[in-house]
Amino acid sequence: MTAPLLEAKGLTVVAETPTGRHRVVDGVSFDLARGEILGLVGESGSGKTMACRALLKLLPSRSLSIQAGSVRLDGKEILDLPDAAFRKIRGARIGMIFQNPASHLDPVMTIGDQIAESVRFHHGGGRKSATARAIELLQQVGIPDPGERARAFPHEFSGGMRQRAMIALALAPDPDVLIADEPTTALDVTVQAQILRLLKELRDSRGLSIVFITHDLGVVAQLCDRICVLYGGRVCELGPKRAILKDARHPYTTGLLACQPGLASGGGRLATIAGYPPTLDQMPPGCRFHPRCPNALLACAKVQPPLETFAGDHAAACHNPVDAAPAPVTEDA
Ligand SMILES: Nc1ncnc2c1ncn2[C@@H]1O[C@H](COP(=O)(O)OP(=O)(O)OP(=O)(O)O)[C@@H](O)[C@H]1O
Ligand SMILES: [Mg+2]
């Protein structure tokens, strides 16, 4: 097996709060192959954004810090690189598009200038060639009349166009990995579908690897090759898309699936998961999902379940997993 392009191991982020020190990301590990799309899913507050920001050493506040973990890019540890060396990797090799594009685009600079500036920062060259490259990138992400639109300011773009502009900006340094944090949640369904198609095309045409953060398993089902499910800052299940959608073993994953229109098995009424996600200052001991879990055993309240592999690279952290789906009946069975 070839080594993964990106490998996060044991990522742990601690928040200093008035109620004490809390792990908002607790030993999260996942990897990403070249040209692969990994979906990172979980309820609001499960640590999706923080885990990815930790990867990029872009924690949004001084009260947050990386306490442990390793991030390897092409087999080389990057988390302990000095800041200047790390800045060269961030953007250039790993790009990120954020949850809210409006707050990450400069309102007083034209879209074209912002992209051209990034092209020059990472690749050098003159203003003219950088502007030409910016227009080319805008065209690639499906902005109509890109030469003209490059001269527009962010507020002159619609939500969908701004998100495309963010993608063009993230692609300007020609990264190997793109981390896309809920890039479509604020968009209407048609525009959302266009952006998902665009990301798939970018994977196919450039071999881009993508970590796609979302709470929407329906989106993940359309887009991703593998899925990593987070709960309370920990990975509870990880595996190929088919294994997660058809043979989920963690009761939290089966609960999430039952809440999704179109994915719920049996086509019955949509379920909800009873109870609420834990808050930082009241993280349950043992398995963090146990107070809400229909399968909970006594051990679940005491002992943190390790991530255990079932078949291939399908793994779940659960003391009492959901039964495996029955094997399909074959003619000679
Ligand atoms: N600046 C901060 N200081 C302390 N804790 C924070 C800070 N920002 C976020 N958190 C906490 O970190 C945890 C993880 O948050 P994160 O933003 O990663 O969740 P998320 O899965 O991305 O959720 P969403 O789907 O709402 O974007 C949450 O419990 C959140 O309250
Ligand atoms: Mg988030």
Side-chain angles (χ1 to χ4, degrees):
M1 216 176 97
T2 52
L5 175 63
L6 183 74
E7 196 176 15
K9 265 204 183 134
L11 267 185
T12 301
V13 177
V14 166
E16 301 273 357
T17 75
T19 57
R21 285 164 63 82
H22 306 290
R23 290 181 173 192
V24 297
V25 176
D26 191 8
V28 166
S29 304
F30 56 81
D31 54 44
L32 185 68
R34 199 172 286 279
E36 182 177 52
I37 307 182
L38 173 76
L40 208 53
V41 298
E43 283 165 301
S44 186
S46 58
K48 307 181 293 293
T49 298
M50 236 36 99
C52 287
R53 281 182 168 270
L55 270 179
L56 293 171
K57 291 216 252 183
L58 273 184
L59 293 174
S61 133
R62 291 180 66 175
S63 59
L64 294 159
S65 57
I66 300 175
Q67 192 192 47
S70 136
V71 177
R72 287 172 175 266
L73 184 64
D74 268 338
K76 286 192 200 77
E77 179 61 46
I78 57 169
L79 267 194
D80 55 11
L81 285 176
D83 282 357
F86 196 87
R87 268 199 299 275
K88 286 206 181 121
I89 288 178
R90 186 166 60 218
R93 302 219 41 209
I94 311 176
M96 180 152 185
I97 46 180
F98 295 93
Q99 237 162 332
N100 177 3
S103 60
H104 292 278
L105 289 168
D106 185 338
V108 296
M109 200 175 185
T110 66
I111 299 276
D113 282 351
Q114 295 185 48
I115 299 171
E117 195 172 78
S118 171
V119 169
R120 290 184 76 188
F121 178 81
H122 290 285
H123 296 296
R127 190 177 292 269
K128 233 177 164 177
S129 66
T131 302
R133 176 79 184 125
I135 293 171
E136 201 178 291
L137 282 161
L138 287 173
Q139 181 168 20
Q140 264 182 29
V141 299
I143 304 259
D145 203 2
E148 184 63 33
R149 302 305 284 164
R151 290 197 287 271
F153 290 92
H155 73 269
E156 296 172 291
F157 271 34
S158 68
M161 288 295 157
R162 268 202 293 270
Q163 198 51 281
R164 285 169 190 269
M166 267 299 295
I167 296 173
L169 187 59
L171 293 178
D174 204 16
D176 302 305
V177 180
L178 183 69
I179 296 177
D181 193 355
E182 310 236 22
T184 60
T185 20
L187 306 174
D188 68 55
V189 183
T190 327
V191 184
Q192 175 172 332
Q194 290 167 357
I195 300 278
L196 297 184
R197 214 173 305 129
L198 168 64
L199 291 174
K200 258 194 174 159
E201 278 166 21
L202 290 168
R203 182 270 291 276
D204 295 341
S205 61
R206 306 170 153 240
L208 189 66
S209 306
I210 302 173
V211 179
F212 191 93
I213 303 179
T214 179
H215 55 265
D216 187 339
L217 270 169
V219 167
V220 156
Q222 278 181 47
L223 183 72
C224 300
D225 305 307
R226 273 193 311 134
I227 302 176
C228 175
V229 185
L230 292 186
Y231 186 84
R234 292 181 185 156
V235 174
C236 62
E237 189 155 10
L238 178 67
K241 171 169 77 180
R242 203 186 146 72
I244 302 287
L245 296 181
K246 302 280 177 223
D247 190 20
R249 306 298 301 278
H250 198 290
Y252 175 60
T253 315
T254 55
L256 269 188
L257 286 165
C259 300
Q260 287 285 323
L263 290 179
S265 53
R269 257 179 355 118
L270 283 183
T272 50
I273 302 174
Y276 297 95
T279 54
L280 276 186
D281 55 343
Q282 287 179 338
M283 279 295 171
C287 170
R288 289 181 167 176
F289 185 60
H290 85 263
R292 301 171 76 188
C293 182
N295 282 17
L297 307 171
L298 279 176
C300 303
K302 296 191 181 122
V303 184
Q304 180 182 342
L307 202 59
E308 271 179 53
T309 303
F310 298 108
D313 58 352
H314 181 193
C318 181
H319 292 304
N320 189 19
V322 176
D323 290 338
V329 179
T330 55
E331 288 291 307
D332 51 13

